Amino acid sequence: MTAIITLLWPTTYGQLILIAAAGLFGRYFLAKSEIPETPHMGISISRSTAVVAWILFFGLLIGLPLFRTVVPSDWLTDSQFLAGYGAAQAVPGPLFTFSAYLGTVMNGWTGALVALIAMFLPSFLLITGVLPFGDVIRRRPNFQSILKGINAAVVGILLATLFNPVWMKAIHTPYDFCFAIAAFGLLMF
């Protein structure tokens, strides 16, 4: 469902709404999991630091899409984008690889550095915000169900991305399709 809605309503805020809705769906409709006992992580971050990290995270999450209208759309060609995306899928750490590639294509090594920081800063903020509450949160079955829903939504969004732009820009002939099937087969087996 997330893939279908993402393709029909291709907006950044639409994806965020879908992820939130999938979390709610998971909370109320997905089976609760047995949560194994895990040792305390032993990482101490103050709650005030965590709150600042959450504020910065949500500020970026909500604010950055507002600035995307000032980003020119011709920084790289479709073939450059697809070459980087394909290379990123072939090696471990695709987001790391792809962000560095895009930054390099757009502005050399400084662009790669900025792209890497932009790629990883939100996750560092999210982890910093969660760690002080991690032991309590991960023991809650409802939270586990929320994560199941969110994970399913993210897979749907990635499936939509596979179709557009990857499929739309790369599969033009039966030979392209045969090559994609062969590559998928090699990847799976």
Side-chain angles (χ1 to χ4, degrees):
M1 289 299 296
T2 303
I4 292 168
I5 295 170
T6 299
L7 287 169
L8 297 176
W9 187 32
T11 66
T12 302
Y13 291 115
Q15 291 177 9
L16 295 175
I17 291 168
L18 286 170
I19 290 170
L24 289 174
F25 179 86
R27 161 68 173 86
Y28 293 106
F29 298 107
L30 294 180
K32 308 296 185 253
S33 302
E34 183 69 29
I35 300 164
E37 278 296 316
T38 54
H40 176 68
M41 286 189 273
I43 299 171
S44 63
I45 294 175
S46 71
R47 289 181 182 235
S48 59
T49 301
V51 169
V52 169
W54 277 109
I55 291 169
L56 291 171
F57 174 79
F58 282 105
L60 290 171
L61 183 68
I62 294 166
L64 286 178
L66 298 174
F67 291 108
R68 84 173 181 78
T69 57
V70 300
V71 177
S73 61
D74 60 348
W75 274 0
L76 65 149
T77 66
D78 288 343
S79 61
Q80 287 174 316
F81 177 84
L82 290 172
Y85 186 81
Q89 295 303 316
V91 297
L95 294 178
F96 167 80
T97 308
F98 194 49
S99 65
Y101 169 79
L102 291 176
T104 302
V105 168
M106 291 186 274
N107 201 26
W109 73 269
T110 55
L113 184 61
V114 169
L116 286 174
I117 291 170
M119 176 58 61
F120 289 107
L121 180 61
S123 63
F124 286 128
L125 293 172
L126 185 62
I127 289 169
T128 301
V130 169
L131 279 176
F133 312 102
D135 287 332
V136 173
I137 292 173
R138 67 188 161 134
R139 289 192 182 113
R140 296 181 183 251
N142 288 336
F143 183 72
Q144 297 299 321
S145 296
I146 289 169
L147 285 180
K148 285 181 187 177
I150 289 172
N151 285 339
V154 169
V155 169
I157 291 169
L158 291 173
L159 178 60
T161 303
L162 174 65
F163 177 73
N164 186 15
V166 176
W167 193 273
M168 297 294 290
K169 303 286 185 191
I171 308 296
H172 300 289
T173 68
Y175 298 108
D176 296 336
F177 185 65
C178 291
F179 181 75
I181 291 172
F184 180 74
L186 288 171
L187 182 65
M188 296 306 294
F189 301 108

